[in-house]
Amino acid sequence: MAKKKNIEEPVRKAGLFEYAPAPESPAAAGDIATSYGHFIGGEFVDSSGSEALKTVNPATEQVLAEFAQGTDEDVDRAVAAARKAFADWSSLPGSERAKYLFRIARIIQERSRELAVLESMDNGKPIRETRDFDIPTVAAWFFYYAGWADKLDYAGFGANPRPLGVAGQVIPWNFPLMMLAWKIAPALATGNTVVLKPAETTPLTALRFAEICRQAGLPKGVVNIVTGDGRTGAALTAHPDVNKVAFTGSTPVGRAIARQLAGSRKKLSLELGGKAANIVFDDAPIDQAVEGIVNGIFFNQGHVCCAGSRLLVQESVQDEVLDALKRRMATLRVGDPLDKNTDIGAINSAAQLARITELTEAGEAEGAERWSPECELPGTGFWFKPTLFTGVSQAHRIAQEEIFGPVLSVLTFRTPDEAVAKANNTPYGLSAGIWTEKGSRILWMANRLKAGVVWANTFNKFDPTSPFGGYKESGYGREGGRHGLEAYLDV
């Protein structure tokens, strides 16, 4: 049992007082069934197979529910339901499709507390993030693409652009409901129907979204959700009656999907891994930059494809930045994801924790210096302290491989040219951050960084009106904004 802390006892090094616990009630997540089937043709149905998987709360390791392992036959049924619904859905006027999207967005807002708590329980991320970022972003995505539904002729893709047909979508576990929204909202707005497979560790908010579709009166078969592991995803992406495949996840799986679809007529978009550089120049506002560094790597436990996992700091301010960064890291609160004061929640799974642990041990073995603030970790669940490495070279695995956890690798540079060379020395190309007071330097750097998204004096800022995506081994295609429509249109 963890030692009870005195509320008047100051936190060592931070110079602050402890926060009293402010837990959100798990009951706010609503009823969680003991087992789930698939959502096909507007109804929850049993799987054709008998295999079931379990989803656990990563903060407690308690089983939340069992869910069906989707079979090839289940995928066939879901794609057939989507194909049957496509004719009527695609022939609706855009203004009518928009009504359903607006309705879904409003229901998401009305049920935001329920969805935020359920997401935190199933994923492990802090309630503060699901409440203030994830769920508002989900609603905003549906509102935004509802506005596009009757304006496709003016989107810049030619007159009378047509939907592709059935979209097969596979989403990851780091932002389960948000990735669902990023994919389903533009697909429906453009007149496509959908079969979606959520990640096997975080299926619950996708299944709750199925309830929202029924509550909104969405025509049967327009959205279908089939649960399962990678076998189900492979069956969906390979299905001959799927016209469009959208995948967000790891680069190795993305490569496999690209090989699988090579030579087919299926349209493909991939949003894969990243190893973003957060670049701090000597004229940057240090306190502001430190907040951006912390947000860039410790937001969502570092389970972010565009996380600023490499810090490139100019040599002349290295000591100042690292001192300020360590002071700030010492104030981060690691613990119960349902506590509103928590900054860093639980790692999503035992497998991911093992991956993070293996790479950090490799960093130490290769000679980098490891540092973490003092903090007590809960006795059960999957946890990892916020960690930074100094003395990192470009050849180290922690500087090249995506860790997907709360681990920051610090490198230095002397000149802007060196910063660009080091930032681009990665197989990925998803995002980057620049911290400087000079607008000319921001533009100079942005033109040379090989990243799909470049933030200036901020990090991890997302808006439905702005396209997001990468290139190189970070994938291709864009989600968000007008550009996000093109992936679902025959142009």
Side-chain angles (χ1 to χ4, degrees):
M1 180 179 294
K3 179 183 176 183
K4 186 176 181 180
K5 298 178 182 177
N6 188 330
I7 194 172
E8 296 182 354
E9 180 186 352
V11 178
R12 291 187 179 90
K13 297 185 180 181
L16 303 174
F17 289 100
E18 287 281 12
Y19 284 76
E24 177 61 276
S25 171
D31 293 333
I32 301 175
T34 55
S35 63
Y36 289 92
H38 308 300
F39 183 69
I40 297 175
E43 304 293 339
F44 284 98
V45 299
D46 292 334
S47 172
S48 63
S50 59
E51 184 179 356
L53 305 176
K54 295 178 180 179
T55 181
V56 303
N57 183 333
T60 65
E61 300 183 57
Q62 294 179 341
V63 175
L64 295 172
E66 289 189 348
F67 59 96
Q69 166 63 36
T71 65
D72 289 356
E73 183 180 336
D74 296 332
V75 172
D76 286 341
R77 286 190 292 160
V79 173
R83 179 61 62 190
K84 181 179 178 181
F86 174 68
D88 289 342
W89 179 251
S90 61
S91 64
L92 280 179
S95 58
E96 291 300 311
R97 292 198 301 271
K99 290 178 182 178
Y100 290 104
L101 292 174
F102 277 126
R103 199 174 301 157
I104 289 170
R106 287 192 295 269
I107 293 171
I108 288 168
Q109 288 182 321
E110 291 165 2
R111 300 176 66 170
S112 60
R113 183 187 180 201
E114 166 195 348
L115 294 169
V117 174
L118 184 61
E119 194 80 297
S120 287
M121 291 174 64
D122 202 24
N123 173 275
K125 65 175 67 183
I127 184 67
R128 188 162 53 86
E129 293 179 5
T130 59
R131 179 195 65 195
D132 298 343
F133 176 73
D134 290 41
I135 308 306
T137 302
V138 170
W141 234 262
F142 279 99
F143 275 125
Y144 176 73
Y145 280 106
W148 268 115
D150 63 348
K151 304 174 186 67
L152 299 178
D153 284 343
Y154 309 101
F157 304 119
N160 193 31
R162 304 301 303 163
L164 295 168
V166 175
Q169 302 174 329
V170 181
I171 59 174
W173 48 260
N174 57 334
F175 292 96
L177 195 58
M178 198 171 87
M179 291 297 98
L180 177 150
W182 282 29
K183 286 174 172 50
I184 287 183
L188 299 193
T190 49
N192 299 274
T193 54
V194 166
V195 180
L196 179 135
K197 190 203 84 70
E200 60 266 33
T201 61
T202 54
L204 295 185
T205 47
L207 293 165
R208 193 65 56 89
F209 179 79
E211 296 177 11
I212 290 173
C213 289
R214 291 209 296 189
Q215 183 180 347
L218 191 70
K220 293 182 177 182
V222 172
V223 169
N224 305 272
I225 295 173
V226 180
T227 56
D229 58 20
R231 293 169 290 171
T232 309
L236 176 58
T237 58
H239 198 282
D241 204 24
V242 166
N243 305 101
K244 155 73 183 178
V245 172
F247 172 78
T248 296
S250 71
T251 294
V253 176
R255 284 198 203 102
I257 293 173
R259 286 194 296 266
Q260 180 188 59
L261 302 190
S264 74
R265 296 179 61 85
K266 294 178 185 177
K267 200 167 186 177
L268 174 64
S269 54
L270 299 171
E271 199 270 276
L272 308 176
K275 194 69 180 175
N278 221 346
I279 306 165
V280 179
F281 285 92
D282 56 7
D283 63 338
I286 300 300
D287 290 341
Q288 180 182 341
V290 165
E291 288 304 309
I293 295 164
V294 168
N295 180 53
I297 184 58
F298 301 124
F299 174 65
N300 197 34
Q301 296 78 252
H303 298 334
V304 186
C305 52
C306 57
S309 54
R310 292 183 297 152
L311 172 61
L312 272 61
V313 59
Q314 200 154 17
E315 278 188 5
S316 58
V317 291
Q318 176 188 10
D319 293 341
E320 182 181 0
V321 169
L322 289 180
D323 288 345
L325 178 58
K326 289 179 178 180
R327 287 196 302 270
R328 180 66 178 91
M329 288 175 63
T331 70
L332 295 175
R333 296 175 293 277
V334 182
D336 182 6
L338 290 184
D339 190 323
K340 301 180 188 72
N341 295 318
T342 295
D343 296 304
I344 298 177
I347 302 303
N348 178 253
S349 66
Q352 185 57 31
L353 178 59
R355 164 73 176 171
I356 296 168
T357 302
E358 189 265 328
L359 280 171
T360 51
E361 290 175 351
E364 288 186 285
E366 290 178 335
E369 183 177 345
R370 178 176 180 172
W371 182 88
S372 294
E374 295 180 11
C375 62
E376 296 179 12
L377 299 181
T380 58
F382 314 125
W383 307 93
F384 199 87
K385 291 182 180 182
T387 300
L388 69 81
F389 280 95
T390 54
V392 179
S393 80
Q394 296 181 77
H396 285 169
R397 289 181 64 193
I398 56 174
Q400 289 293 324
E401 298 182 32
E402 185 179 39
I403 300 174
F404 222 62
V407 180
L408 178 65
S409 300
V410 182
L411 300 93
T412 61
F413 67 92
R414 295 180 180 179
T415 67
D417 284 320
E418 184 183 0
V420 169
K422 287 186 173 181
N424 289 340
N425 183 21
T426 170
Y428 299 104
L430 189 54
S431 65
I434 305 167
W435 298 86
T436 176
E437 68 173 13
K438 294 181 174 64
S440 59
R441 179 180 286 160
I442 291 170
L443 295 175
W444 187 91
M445 291 287 294
N447 283 334
R448 289 163 175 78
L449 290 172
K450 295 178 180 178
V453 179
V454 178
W455 288 291
N457 293 326
T458 189
F459 208 89
N460 274 343
K461 295 297 182 184
F462 302 93
D463 190 277
T465 65
S466 178
F468 178 85
Y471 60 109
K472 298 198 294 184
E473 291 195 13
S474 291
Y476 45 81
R478 293 295 180 267
E479 294 182 307
R482 178 184 66 84
H483 307 72
L485 297 166
E486 183 178 9
Y488 295 94
L489 291 171
D490 185 0
V491 295

